[in-house]
């Protein structure tokens, strides 16, 4: 029967979030109810609260999560009650033209649960952030949004692969195809940018240049594997990157901010025939202007990274294995653990740049 649990709601644009009782229905065909154990506070959740994604309030926030499958609906075979899973927001369909061409990480028909969770008091339907809504004791998702991983790993660590860390690592490894000996620049050293640094190091990059306006973030990027740092408040990042790469520019530049000015920096900081990867998320009003002759004359590739072009069933277990082997330290992304009632304060600390990731433990 339907369950009543506590969840964090964004009731309206820029209104403070609040904890309310929500109703989680029994899973229907192809759906699963997951008992959430941990969920990271991601900048995308703040975008939802600010109305930067859409205006389908009220939102049930939270999406960067791990937990245990409690129940499944008819037809679910890939996960079962008791499985420890990471939640993902791109459940592939297996039927669209991308999937049928063997490129499921580009799936053009990803899906979420068909039923909606509701506010218990009023029956108002909730819009779950990225189709997940995991700032809640339990959540309803499509079963394809559950990726089974080794239960020995900490939920606070595992959940981060559900969004930001996977987006950054994938931007380097999958989208940017960073290779051994490459030079890489990462513009913007928040959680996603630092994950791109980790991904570049994992791929064997010889030189990794971190760019940001905050010296604290640059120091963190060094601990993640950056070999050089540039504070773009005091130095021209394009010239600095060129100077550090023999005057040529980087083979791969990853833009993890999502602004026109930083994208232009990425465009001109790459070597001829180099690659720009946009993984920072712009807002709908942003526009980009570049001389078309420069786009033609510099060659190479301008790419956007969707969720790090990841395939959760392939990438999540692999990265958990690498973490357990000590080859990457996913725990380094967890700045603090907090309670479900502390999310508004966590948004403030995120805005001030005081944390890499706050993680809610449920």
């Amino acid at each position: 029967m339907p369950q009543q649990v506590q969840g964090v709601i964004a009731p309206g644009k820029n209104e403070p979030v609040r904890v309310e009782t929500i109703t989680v229905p029994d899973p229907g065909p192809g759906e699963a109810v997951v008992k959430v154990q941990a969920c990271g506070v991601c900048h995308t959740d703040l975008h939802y609260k600010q109305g930067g994604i859409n205006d389908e309030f009220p939102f049930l926030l939270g999406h960067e999560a791990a937990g245990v499958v409690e129940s499944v609906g008819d037809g679910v075979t890939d996960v079962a009650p008791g499985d420890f899973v990471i939640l993902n927001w791109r459940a592939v369909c297996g039927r669209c033209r991308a999937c049928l061409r063997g490129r499921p990480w580009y799936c053009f028909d990803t899906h979420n649960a068909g039923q909606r969770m509701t506010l218990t008091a009023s029956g108002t339907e909730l819009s779950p952030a990225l189709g997940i809504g995991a700032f809640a004791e339990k959540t309803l998702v499509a079963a394809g949004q559950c990726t089974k991983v080794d239960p020995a790993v900490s939920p606070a660590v595992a959940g981060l692969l559900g969004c930001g860390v996977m987006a950054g690592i994938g931007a380097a490894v999958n989208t940017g195809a960073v290779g051994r000996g490459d030079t890489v620049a990462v513009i913007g050293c928040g959680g996603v940018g630092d994950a791109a640094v980790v991904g570049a190091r994992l791929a064997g990059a010889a030189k990794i240049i971190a760019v940001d306006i905050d010296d604290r973030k640059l120091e963190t990027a060094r601990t993640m594997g950056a070999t050089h740092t540039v504070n773009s408040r005091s130095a021209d990042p394009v010239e600095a990157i060129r100077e550090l790469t023999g005057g040529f520019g980087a083979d791969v530049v990853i833009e993890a901010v999502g602004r026109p000015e930083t994208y232009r920096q990425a465009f001109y900081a790459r070597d001829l025939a180099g690659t720009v990867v946009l993984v920072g998320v712009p807002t709908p009003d942003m526009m980009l202007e570049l001389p078309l002759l420069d786009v033609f004359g510099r060659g190479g590739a301008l790419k956007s990274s969707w969720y790090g072009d990841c395939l959760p069933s392939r990438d999540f277990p692999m990265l958990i294995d690498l973490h357990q082997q000590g080859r990457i330290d996913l725990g380094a992304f967890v700045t603090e653990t907090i309670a479900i009632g502390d999310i508004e304060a966590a948004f403030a600390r995120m805005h001030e740049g005081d944390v890499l990731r706050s993680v809610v433990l449920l």
Side-chain angles (χ1 to χ4, degrees), residues 58-82:
F59 292 110
L60 174 59
L61 298 181
H63 60 278
E64 201 174 68
V68 175
V69 175
E70 182 179 85
S71 58
V72 299
D74 291 343
V76 175
T77 58
D78 289 341
V79 293

Side-chain angles (χ1 to χ4, degrees), residues 272-295:
L272 291 173
T275 299
V276 173
V277 176
L278 174 64
V279 68
V281 181
T283 56
D285 60 304
M286 291 180 178
M287 303 292 289
L288 175 70
E289 288 190 11
L290 286 170
L292 191 57
L293 183 60
D294 286 354
V295 175

Side-chain angles (χ1 to χ4, degrees), residues 217-242:
K217 292 185 177 182
L218 291 172
E219 183 55 35
T220 300
R222 276 195 181 275
T223 69
M224 296 290 188
T227 59
H228 300 77
T229 60
V230 175
N231 188 316
S232 54
R233 280 194 190 277
S234 55
D236 182 326
V238 175
E239 292 304 316
I241 291 168
R242 287 178 177 168

Side-chain angles (χ1 to χ4, degrees), residues 115-134:
Q115 302 180 84
R116 286 290 186 100
M117 293 173 278
T118 59
L119 288 174
T120 301
S122 64
T124 302
E125 289 191 345
L126 296 166
S127 299
L130 290 178
I132 293 177

Side-chain angles (χ1 to χ4, degrees), residues 89-90 105-108 167 175 278-279 304-310:
W89 45 269
R90 287 184 60 80
W105 49 89
Y106 290 141
C107 178
F108 301 140
T175 316
L278 174 64
V279 68
S304 297
S305 186
W306 296 352
Y307 202 0
D309 290 344
C310 79

Side-chain angles (χ1 to χ4, degrees), residues 98-181:
C99 289
L100 293 177
R101 293 170 68 187
R103 302 171 183 171
W105 49 89
Y106 290 141
C107 178
F108 301 140
D109 194 21
T110 57
H111 56 284
N112 305 314
Q115 302 180 84
R116 286 290 186 100
M117 293 173 278
T118 59
L119 288 174
T120 301
S122 64
T124 302
E125 289 191 345
L126 296 166
S127 299
L130 290 178
I132 293 177
F135 286 154
E137 294 165 324
K138 297 179 184 181
T139 190
L140 177 76
V141 294
Q145 293 179 274
C146 301
T147 304
K148 186 177 177 180
V149 297
D150 189 341
V153 70
S154 162
V157 168
L160 299 184
L161 291 178
C163 189
V165 172
M166 183 69 255
I169 292 177
V173 175
N174 297 331
T175 316
V178 174
R180 292 186 299 275

